[in-house]
Amino acid sequence: MARWVTVATMRYMNNVNDVRKGRDRVREIWELLIDRAALDRPDIMLLPEHFMSNALMDGAGRVMSGRELAEPVPGEGYIQEFLSRKARQYKMYIAAGMGRLDPATGRLFNSGVLFDRAGRVAGVYDKLFPTTGEMEHHEVTPGDAPVVFDADFGRVGIAVCFDLNFPELFEYYRRERVELCCFLSSMHGGTHLPSYARDCRMYIASAVENGSAYIVNPIGGIVAKTFDSVSFISARINLDCQLYHVTPRNLPEPFPVAVRRKYGDAVRLEHVEGEPWHLVCCDRTDMTAADILNEFKVEPIDVLFERTRALRRARVPDGF
C-alpha cells in the first residue's frame, strides 16, 4: 500500500564572509535555509557533509581544525543542539554531515547523523571510505560497518561523499532492503547516483556543497534537482514500488494497458527513456505494488533475473 514520504534536500556552500563572522552567523544562514525548505513539510531533510563546520574560524580569525569542531554523538554539542531543535520544531527527520569525536578513544570520524522527529539522535553512520587525505593528514578514522536505520516511513541508509566510489557499500544497502539512501557530500554525484539507484533498487537523495542536489527514483530517473537559482528542493515519493522488465508475453493486452484499464491513476507506471526497466507504484491503501505484479503475473525484476540464472545453470552447469 502507498507509503508516501516527502524528502527535502539542498545545495549550499558556506559563504567565506559568513565563515569569517563565526559559527553563530553560519548557523543563522543554515536556520534560514532549513526554515525555507521546511515550508514543504518534509518527513526528512538532508544537509551536506560538514554542512556547518566546514572551514569555520575562531574569534581570532583562525581556521579551526576538524577535531576542534567535532562533537561526541550522541551528546552535548553546538551542532547537535541546533539540529535537534530544528527536527523537533518541524517534526521531521534530519540527516546531516558532521564531525564526530569518540570521547572514549579520541578517534575522529566523518559522520552522517540521523535525528528523529522528536529531535533525538536516531543513529550514526561513520564514513566507511574517507579520502586518503582525511586518513593520512586529518586523523579521520574509517567507520566499522554500514548502518541501516528504520525510520517510521521506511528503511534509510547514509553515504558520505567519497563513499560514492565504492559500490560495495551500496550493494550492502541493496541486500538490506534500504528504500532511501541519503548521500551527504561536498561533491555532487553526477552519473553515479542514477546508476546506484537503479542497480540497488532504491531512492537516493543527495545534499551537496557544489553542483546539483538530486532526488532519484529506483529506475535512475531524476525526480527533482537543484539549479543555480534554486538551493533547495523537495519531492513526495511513494516507497511502495516494484521494478519489472519488459519482455514479450502472451497477454490479452499489454500490462500497462491492462493495469490502467482496471486501476486508473491509482497505479502509476514510470520508465526511463531507452530502458526496458519500468517502475510500478501503487498509490492505493488496500494493496501493494507487489500485489499488482502478482495479479497480472508479471515477475519482479530480481525474480526474473534469478530465474534466468537458474535456467542457464541447468542448461550449462559447467559454464560461466
Side-chain angles (χ1 to χ4, degrees):
M1 61 185 65
R3 284 188 295 121
W4 291 102
V5 54
T6 299
V7 180
T9 189
M10 60 186 68
R11 170 198 58 80
Y12 185 77
M13 175 183 285
N14 294 324
N15 181 283
V16 65
N17 292 322
D18 293 327
V19 168
R20 286 174 179 154
K21 294 175 183 177
R23 64 181 187 175
D24 286 349
R25 174 57 178 170
V26 172
R27 183 179 65 179
E28 181 183 340
I29 298 301
W30 279 104
E31 185 142 23
L32 177 64
L33 290 168
I34 291 171
D35 289 344
R36 288 178 176 176
L39 293 173
D40 288 338
R41 302 177 67 181
D43 295 288
I44 184 169
M45 184 179 294
L46 281 62
L47 306 177
E49 178 185 32
H50 290 304
F51 78 104
M52 204 167 76
S53 60
N54 225 356
L56 279 184
M57 295 182 180
D58 62 15
R62 181 183 63 87
V63 176
M64 300 172 71
S65 71
R67 181 169 291 277
E68 290 176 292
L69 292 165
E71 301 178 4
V73 183
E76 300 294 327
Y78 185 85
I79 297 174
Q80 285 176 90
E81 183 280 326
F82 170 62
L83 293 176
S84 176
R85 175 167 58 83
K86 301 311 288 185
R88 203 164 50 244
Q89 177 182 354
Y90 292 112
K91 296 180 175 57
M92 65 182 177
Y93 286 84
I94 295 178
M98 58 183 291
R100 182 177 80 85
L101 188 65
D102 184 344
T105 64
R107 294 191 301 171
L108 177 65
F109 298 89
N110 183 348
S111 303
V113 181
L114 184 69
F115 292 81
D116 68 16
R117 297 181 195 266
R120 299 174 298 235
V121 173
V124 177
Y125 163 79
D126 296 321
K127 188 175 183 178
L128 219 60
F129 297 98
T131 66
T132 55
E134 285 180 291
M135 291 186 281
E136 292 173 346
H137 304 299
H138 298 287
E139 305 178 71
V140 174
T141 300
D144 292 330
V147 182
V148 176
F149 309 98
D150 287 311
D152 58 16
F153 55 79
R155 289 173 69 76
V156 176
I158 294 177
V160 178
C161 202
F162 203 63
D163 281 336
L164 195 66
N165 297 292
F166 299 90
E168 55 264 45
L169 171 60
F170 294 87
E171 181 57 32
Y172 174 89
Y173 285 150
R174 175 189 174 183
R175 293 194 303 270
E176 293 299 313
R177 303 184 308 282
V178 163
E179 297 169 296
L180 172 65
C181 181
C182 302
F183 178 58
L184 317 177
S185 184
S186 297
M187 64 177 185
H188 69 283
T191 59
H192 280 77
L193 296 181
S195 296
Y196 282 139
R198 181 194 64 223
D199 293 346
C200 299
R201 326 298 195 240
M202 65 177 73
Y203 284 91
I204 299 181
S206 63
V208 299
E209 285 187 342
N210 294 300
S212 295
Y214 296 92
I215 299 172
V216 185
N217 69 21
I219 50 172
I222 295 174
V223 177
K225 65 176 290 189
T226 60
F227 297 92
D228 289 343
S229 60
V230 179
S231 296
F232 49 85
I233 52 171
S234 68
R236 187 168 180 256
I237 59 177
N238 183 0
L239 297 182
D240 180 27
C241 57
Q242 293 278 328
L243 277 74
Y244 70 96
H245 192 288
V246 176
T247 54
R249 305 193 63 232
N250 294 320
L251 296 173
E253 59 185 357
F255 169 62
V257 175
V259 74
R260 187 60 181 266
R261 186 184 304 282
K262 182 168 183 180
Y263 293 110
D265 59 5
V267 176
R268 292 177 292 110
L269 303 179
E270 301 180 15
H271 70 280
V272 176
E273 183 178 0
E275 293 284 354
W277 295 29
H278 289 225
L279 191 69
V280 56
C281 299
C282 182
D283 295 344
R284 294 170 62 103
T285 58
D286 59 344
M287 61 193 311
T288 67
D291 294 333
I292 296 293
L293 292 185
N294 184 62
E295 177 182 348
F296 291 91
K297 297 181 173 55
V298 175
E299 291 176 301
I301 200 164
D302 289 317
V303 173
L304 170 64
F305 289 169
E306 278 307 309
R307 189 164 68 86
T308 303
R309 291 187 181 101
L311 288 170
R312 185 186 184 284
R313 286 194 297 268
R315 285 157 175 75
V316 191
D318 299 323
F320 173 73

